[in-house]
Amino acid sequence: MSVNRRQFLTSSSLALVGSALPLRDLFAQVAAQAAGQAPAAPPVTAFTPLRGTVGFFTGQGGTIGYHISKTGVVVVDAQMPATAEICLDGVKERAAGVAIDYLVNTHHHGDHTGGNPIFRPAVKKILAHANVPDLQRAAAARQIAARQAAGQPPAPVVEQVVADTTFVNTWREEVGGEWMALKYYGAAHTSGDAVVTFEQANVVHMGDLIFNRRHPVIDRPGGSSVVNWVKVLEGALKDHGKDTIYVFGHAAAQFPATGAAADLVYMRDYLTALLDYVRAEMKVGKTKDVIVKSTDVLKGFDTHGPLAERVLTPVYDELAAG
């Protein structure tokens, strides 16, 4: 069976996104495409203007931000291959022939970078924190090793499309009449999270530093620190005003993908409560096996639902390591 370039990019890029979907589901999709089976129903997507030239796109994966003016275009994050293509088509239509200056990756996870191969031919530069390219390659290598350890067949070989332009602490440039600034506050969700500010519009893309009213992904192999995550949110709050609109990487189904300073405070307080909960359980002598299996609900954070092992384990490990 022959495949065109679009089909190849869509199917092969699935191997990049294991941080967002179970591996068995990813490779089931690849196998189905290879067997010529009908694809799944297209994902629901939407472009939503926010303020000035800035808006956001929702689809499959982390929320995409964009700035589109008559003289410059920026896209923040790339989601998954299928929705990346939908987003790219929509950006091109709205940009009316203006080139895309930057694709920004807020961090390395597959649901934010899996669409990089789709965007790559259309963008001048891919921009991210200096840690992101190596983190992206390391995550892919861990997936390969995990499949080998489980005795699973090799995944399709996929070229890693990583940032070609990086920054260490801060980065700022005028793009199409809008000043875009990036800042790294230190380890949090990963060790490469960039906060992206569109200064004139007063819109800030937080990437996965905010999971609105849902338990977050805490990527300890990727360098996360929940203790420092609290400080990162406080730093972002200090650097922006009361009228700032924040774009979130993810949100619970009944909550929006954008919000205000109060939502950053809520996330900060949730992380603080999570740390306090695990510390208290450790203090009374409970073992790791007992603590990480808890399904308690954090007091004051009922919307998150019961605690889960995927958040308790990395918090325990971080606190136990001192």
Side-chain angles (χ1 to χ4, degrees), residues 106-236:
T106 60
H107 61 292
H108 73 280
H109 286 158
D111 60 322
H112 297 255
T113 62
N116 281 6
I118 304 298
F119 276 96
R120 174 67 279 182
V123 302
K124 296 178 181 178
K125 297 179 182 179
I126 301 179
L127 173 64
H129 183 262
N131 290 342
V132 168
D134 285 344
L135 287 168
Q136 189 174 332
R137 295 186 186 101
R142 285 195 300 272
Q143 290 179 15
I144 293 172
R147 288 186 62 81
Q148 291 174 339
Q152 297 173 328
V157 176
V158 178
E159 178 187 1
Q160 292 292 305
V161 177
V162 301
D164 51 49
T165 304
T166 61
F167 75 100
V168 176
N169 296 313
T170 59
W171 183 97
R172 186 172 182 265
E173 184 175 308
E174 184 182 3
V175 183
E178 170 66 78
W179 282 94
M180 179 173 69
L182 280 70
K183 186 169 183 177
Y184 176 64
Y185 290 86
H189 168 63
T190 71
S191 59
D193 301 295
V195 173
V196 184
T197 302
F198 294 102
E199 295 179 354
Q200 274 83 349
N202 194 16
V203 175
V204 177
H205 197 303
M206 295 294 293
D208 279 4
L209 291 171
I210 299 292
F211 284 71
N212 191 20
R213 271 64 173 185
R214 58 177 285 191
H215 293 304
V217 172
I218 303 170
D219 185 2
R220 190 158 170 78
S224 69
S225 169
V226 180
V227 172
N228 200 60
W229 197 337
V230 172
K231 299 175 183 177
V232 167
L233 293 175
E234 290 174 343

Side-chain angles (χ1 to χ4, degrees), residues 50-100:
L50 279 175
R51 184 185 284 164
T53 59
V54 178
F56 69 97
F57 171 88
T58 49
Q60 184 182 33
T63 307
I64 292 177
Y66 63 83
H67 150 63
I68 301 174
S69 76
K70 295 180 179 179
T71 55
V73 179
V74 174
V75 176
V76 182
D77 284 334
Q79 288 194 357
M80 315 282 268
T83 50
E85 192 151 18
I86 295 169
C87 182
L88 177 58
D89 289 344
V91 168
K92 287 180 175 179
E93 180 181 347
R94 288 162 174 78
V98 178
I100 302 175

Side-chain angles (χ1 to χ4, degrees), residues 185 195 204 206 210 230-242 244 246 260-269:
Y185 290 86
V195 173
V204 177
M206 295 294 293
I210 299 292
V230 172
K231 299 175 183 177
V232 167
L233 293 175
E234 290 174 343
L237 282 164
K238 183 179 179 181
D239 286 347
H240 300 97
K242 294 181 180 179
T244 300
Y246 296 91
D263 298 299
L264 272 67
V265 171
Y266 189 92
M267 179 77 184
R268 178 203 65 186
D269 292 348

